[in-house]
Amino acid sequence: MHKIDYRYLRPKKAAWLKTMYDAPFALREELSVWRGENAVILPAREIPGEEALFGRGGVVEETGQYVALSGIKNRIENSYPFESPEYRDEKVVYCGFMVNHWGHFLVEAVTRLWYALRNDTSIDKYVFTLNENEEREIRGNYKEFLVLLNIWDKIEFINTPTRYREVVVPECAFFCPEYYSPKFLEIFDALAENVKADPQWPVYDRIYFTRSHFAKENGLEFGLDSLDNFFQKNGFAILAPEKIPLPQMIYTLRHAKVVASMSGSTPHNMLFANNGQQLILMERLVMNDDHQVCINQMRQLQVTPIDASFHIYPVDFCGPYILGCNDILQQYIADHGMVAPDPEYTSEKYLGKCFKQYMHSYQENYRNRWFMADWYTQITDSLWEAYQDSYRYFHAYLDGEKPYLREHYFQIHYWKQWLKQLFRRS
């Protein structure tokens, strides 16, 4: 049974997270399979104005009827007109859209691959779709995933409508946040079983999956080095998951007693973990990640989420964000007898630097536009709670007492503030 320690979240965010864990999350032992002859597999086509994240696509019966089982609600669904598709005399399994994002890949692109564990010898190919007319080389951990599942030599990626002699459409083994099947976890367990360990691979009791290397050039996440410093001082091995070959990452993950990670798609790698492992989540968002909630439940993880962020303005999933050692993380450190980050990472000077980088990034990405996603309307109390908590760290900048962008030094307002301070001192 999963266990969540809510003590290190801001209270309203914690209450919202609890409602997510209390919501129904169905367990499905049996999954459906659709089979049809002369069916067409459609690559993804984005349709302007429609809500599906990846567009339209999937499988169409010989009669022209769309196979609903081939879609994923709000992700990819429904057909579109096509002419004279190429015919292939093969029996294939439709695997879905090959998402070019590791987190989405883990929770959406591989959910039909439980069928590959059946070892159906009548199958000629396992077919993934790309975007229409897209050319993409599948490599790295995406390829390694399919290699470890022992189906790489039967994988095909299509970018044009293609008709096959027979198409098999397995139902998704996981759909967030409604249901999951044990068959979904069996996919990841099969990969772990197929890993051939290298004697040179180190084993760590505690690991921290850092985003520092990944986020270094994106100009959206600030303060990550303070968290690296914190975990390093407390005996965690600092690992960048995107730089580790998949077999080694799975091996390392399964041999760790405690895993720490920034929130987002990085902890989705816990799908490869053992049931019941400990997970420390450094929260960067005001909202809670519904996919991670499901993963924590499926893997029965023992989770401690920590609001280690300074939240100021509503931003999209990409940020910008400020992370670091706020009062919440300091309380966690005190409660667990841990060592705080070096003083340089908790100083007013360091936080001021992070704030200036944050504001520069915010201006670059939003200009004067006020951003508000629809999901913020459900958690405005959490949004305000996080702002109030962070305001005390940066009130001098937010109240206009201190300049934080270069152009401010040419604004009369800040010259007035400087003169007021000068007169007070005299």
Side-chain angles (χ1 to χ4, degrees):
M1 184 67 180
H2 71 275
K3 181 181 178 181
I4 312 299
D5 187 345
Y6 296 96
R7 291 178 296 165
Y8 305 103
L9 291 176
R10 298 178 180 107
K12 292 176 181 177
K13 180 179 175 181
W16 182 255
L17 180 61
K18 191 173 187 306
T19 65
M20 296 175 73
Y21 280 107
D22 290 342
F25 185 42
L27 173 64
R28 288 193 188 177
E29 295 289 348
E30 298 301 323
L31 297 171
S32 302
V33 178
W34 179 91
R35 293 178 172 84
E37 296 181 351
N38 295 314
V40 175
I41 298 181
L42 299 177
R45 176 188 288 181
E46 185 177 350
I47 307 295
E50 294 191 353
E51 294 184 357
L53 181 61
F54 305 121
R56 295 190 181 191
V59 178
V60 178
E61 296 185 48
E62 186 177 14
T63 61
Q65 182 73 23
Y66 183 72
V67 179
L69 199 66
S70 69
I72 300 178
K73 184 180 177 182
N74 296 328
R75 291 300 193 252
I76 185 164
E77 51 189 339
N78 299 321
S79 63
Y80 52 81
F82 58 91
E83 295 181 0
S84 305
E86 178 184 350
Y87 176 79
R88 297 186 185 177
D89 186 20
E90 296 172 330
K91 180 179 180 180
V92 303
V93 174
Y94 169 74
C95 299
F97 178 61
M98 187 69 176
V99 190
N100 193 22
H101 178 283
W102 185 246
H104 282 292
F105 173 78
L106 293 178
V107 298
E108 291 164 357
V110 306
T111 60
R112 304 179 197 272
L113 290 180
W114 60 269
Y115 192 90
L117 302 179
R118 287 187 169 189
N119 296 316
D120 184 347
T121 57
S122 69
I123 300 300
D124 296 305
K125 296 279 181 61
Y126 292 87
V127 177
F128 282 95
T129 63
L130 303 176
N131 290 306
E132 194 174 24
N133 300 317
E134 177 189 8
E135 298 293 336
R136 189 199 316 171
E137 180 184 358
I138 309 302
R139 58 187 178 181
N141 284 347
Y142 298 95
K143 178 180 178 180
E144 198 63 49
F145 189 104
L146 302 170
V147 169
L148 283 173
L149 203 57
N150 295 321
I151 58 173
W152 175 252
D153 59 343
K154 286 191 172 185
I155 291 290
E156 181 171 25
F157 303 96
I158 64 167
N159 60 7
T160 57
T162 307
R163 188 184 301 277
Y164 293 91
R165 182 184 75 243
E166 187 175 351
V167 175
V168 177
V169 181
E171 184 178 9
C172 292
F174 167 52
F175 179 63
C176 178
E178 297 181 9
Y179 73 87
Y180 83 100
S181 167
K183 292 180 173 63
F184 182 56
L185 295 182
E186 288 171 7
I187 300 168
F188 298 91
D189 291 337
L191 265 72
E193 291 171 6
N194 290 336
V195 169
K196 293 180 173 58
D198 186 326
Q200 300 299 316
W201 291 347
V203 173
Y204 308 102
D205 282 344
R206 293 182 288 181
I207 60 176
Y208 172 57
F209 283 147
T210 180
R211 280 181 60 89
S212 295
H213 301 278
F214 180 79
K216 191 172 184 179
E217 302 299 329
N218 68 15
L220 291 165
E221 297 169 75
F222 310 103
L224 295 178
D225 48 355
S226 68
L227 298 183
D228 289 353
N229 178 261
F230 163 66
F231 282 108
Q232 187 174 42
K233 287 175 70 70
N234 286 278
F236 285 72
I238 312 299
L239 305 176
E242 72 278 3
K243 294 182 177 293
I244 304 173
L246 184 60
Q248 184 178 354
M249 187 186 73
I250 296 172
Y251 176 84
T252 303
L253 189 57
R254 287 216 160 192
H255 283 79
K257 293 179 181 178
V258 182
V259 179
S261 172
M262 187 69 63
S263 66
S265 60
T266 302
H268 292 0
N269 287 301
M270 293 302 288
L271 284 165
F272 296 107
N274 299 305
N275 288 345
Q277 275 184 266
Q278 293 184 52
L279 174 63
I280 301 170
L281 273 179
M282 310 306 284
E283 294 283 339
R284 59 180 176 149
L285 296 165
V286 170
M287 70 172 295
N288 299 294
D289 188 328
D290 53 356
H291 281 99
Q292 193 60 45
V293 167
C294 292
I295 292 168
N296 296 343
Q297 290 174 298
M298 287 188 283
R299 278 297 183 198
Q300 303 171 35
L301 301 178
Q302 312 302 300
V303 186
T304 302
I306 304 171
D307 269 327
S309 63
F310 301 90
H311 193 87
I312 302 167
Y313 297 117
V315 294
D316 64 21
F317 292 110
C318 294
Y321 307 106
I322 303 176
L323 295 309
C325 191
N326 57 12
D327 286 351
I328 299 171
L329 180 54
Q330 289 176 17
Q331 186 61 56
Y332 175 81
I333 291 170
D335 289 348
H336 292 79
M338 300 178 80
V339 181
D342 290 333
E344 66 180 284
Y345 295 112
T346 57
S347 67
E348 183 178 338
K349 179 181 179 181
Y350 178 79
L351 287 180
K353 175 185 174 183
C354 289
F355 179 82
K356 293 173 184 179
Q357 291 173 322
Y358 169 91
M359 289 303 299
H360 177 76
S361 177
Y362 189 88
Q363 290 290 323
E364 284 292 310
N365 287 281
Y366 299 97
R367 296 298 175 185
N368 296 319
R369 179 171 60 91
W370 188 75
F371 177 82
M372 189 71 160
D374 55 358
W375 48 264
Y376 268 126
T377 61
Q378 304 174 57
I379 57 167
T380 50
D381 54 349
S382 298
L383 182 66
W384 178 242
E385 172 187 60
Y387 174 80
Q388 286 184 305
D389 188 36
S390 302
Y391 168 80
R392 55 203 169 97
Y393 294 95
F394 308 114
H395 65 88
Y397 299 111
L398 294 169
D399 291 344
E401 296 172 12
K402 290 183 179 181
Y404 51 85
L405 296 177
R406 290 180 180 176
E407 54 265 33
H408 290 170
Y409 290 96
F410 299 97
Q411 293 180 6
I412 295 176
H413 165 77
Y414 288 101
W415 281 93
K416 288 181 179 178
Q417 296 301 314
W418 179 74
L419 289 172
K420 286 180 182 178
Q421 293 173 11
L422 186 65
F423 286 133
R424 289 194 195 110
R425 291 171 187 169
S426 60

